[in-house]
Amino acid sequence: MFEGTVPARTAAPIYSHAVRVGVPAGLLRGIPGLDVGVFGEELVRIPAGPVGQAWQLIDEIGGDGVGSAMSAASERGCFGVWDYLFATGATLAESLRTVHEFRPLVASPTAGGAIIVDGGLLTIREATAPSPAAVIPAREEFTLALMLRRAREATGVPLVPVRVRLTQDAPRTHEHLVEVFGTRRIEFGAPHPEMSFLDAADLPIDSDPHQARVHRHYAELLMSSFRVAGDWNSTLRSVIHESMLHGTTDLRWVADRLAVGPRTIQRRLQEQGTTWRDEVEAVRYDHAVNLLRNTDLPISSVAARLGYSDVRTLRRAFLRWNGLPPSDFRRDNCGGDAAHATPEAWRQMPPTVARSVPRSVSETTLD
């Protein structure tokens, strides 16, 4: 039911970390579906795609070591009751299985991974990215480093893995990873992100049985009470935005992500008086404005992130939307979306683009 979503509680610390490492807050707020207004609501889930896009920005801007640094700054409790499930079993392996069982409290319900005990070897295996292009080193490093930190806190033992595997390509240097994991036995290009420990499965957990039951009961209550934020249209736009990051604006790709047929999307849009093309243009416009106002990316990079084949295509589109070429728009750093659009340019915008601009702006522009 909640496939493709994550709890807003998870998005909140990731958003905070992103701002801390230098990602412009305006750029984050421009990601469709990343609604900071729901971050304080524990029962709300948001689309996973926008959170993944925030991770991409963290990785690009934060640089080497940002994921492990974020784990070091994530105090117990920042991910809610899930953080306390590490101390609900009699042993480390038992607690980790509970943590994995309730993984939807911090991730998508379809996120893979496993806790594997093979003889004296305990392995924490995380979900594999769907494709090499989707691997985000910062997120991968953060996840394993956080699991290690929570395991150390639960056992009171300075655990050191005998092996760490990451799916990412080898970075220029990985000394920061050696420092975090305490070992040089780190492999890159692995099939799964994972870390293994020797003779750690039966390490005792100093847990309070009553408190453990309370935490588990609360986790079960949350799992049965989640609701998804936003309406169908906002979810659609979020997935269209995600598709652009994958180099496509194909209707079938988006339909597959939403687990519906292309005709279903087209029919619903027709009922709302809009079209697939209009929705794609609306998302492109919003994303273009966000990138031009909040980053110094070259115009060619902005065009590529919007799914355009070259700068000329972006220029023609932006002139149609806004009456200005993208370079002039960036130079002027307009105070509001479409604030410089001429009345004629406004009328030529796709209806969904016009609706995405604040009403006060549209009224001022048309006067």
Side-chain angles (χ1 to χ4, degrees), residues 5 12 62 69 136 163 183 195 203 213 225 236 254 297 351:
T5 68
I136 304 175
R163 182 184 63 206
T183 179
M195 55 185 171
L203 284 174
R213 285 195 297 271
S225 304
L236 173 65
V254 171
L297 286 171

Side-chain angles (χ1 to χ4, degrees), residues 273-346:
T274 183
T275 67
W276 168 253
R277 180 178 178 181
D278 284 349
E279 290 298 313
V280 171
E281 288 294 279
V283 174
R284 274 181 167 147
Y285 173 78
D286 289 341
H287 193 29
V289 167
N290 190 29
L291 291 174
L292 291 169
R293 295 184 65 183
N294 293 298
T295 77
D296 58 0
L297 286 171
I299 301 297
S300 57
S301 296
V302 173
R305 291 182 181 227
L306 297 175
Y308 288 129
S309 57
D310 53 44
V311 173
R312 289 176 299 176
T313 307
L314 170 61
R315 179 182 172 84
R316 286 195 297 269
F318 217 84
L319 283 168
R320 184 175 70 252
W321 295 330
N322 219 292
L324 287 173
S327 55
D328 288 357
F329 180 92
R330 167 174 278 171
R331 182 197 62 214
D332 293 347
N333 191 24
C334 69
D337 293 352
H340 291 289
T342 64
E344 184 60 30
W346 177 273

Side-chain angles (χ1 to χ4, degrees), residues 88 207-214:
T88 53
S207 62
D208 180 330
H210 172 70
Q211 195 173 54
R213 285 195 297 271
V214 170

Side-chain angles (χ1 to χ4, degrees), residues 232-273:
W232 183 83
N233 294 79
S234 61
T235 300
L236 173 65
R237 288 196 177 189
S238 172
V239 178
I240 292 174
H241 187 268
E242 182 184 358
S243 76
M244 291 178 183
L245 300 180
H246 288 268
T248 181
T249 53
D250 180 64
L251 172 60
R252 185 169 295 280
W253 191 98
V254 171
D256 288 344
R257 296 289 284 185
L258 293 173
V260 299
R263 290 185 179 179
T264 298
I265 293 178
Q266 291 174 318
R267 183 175 65 252
R268 294 191 68 169
L269 292 176
Q270 184 178 18
E271 291 170 354
Q272 295 170 8

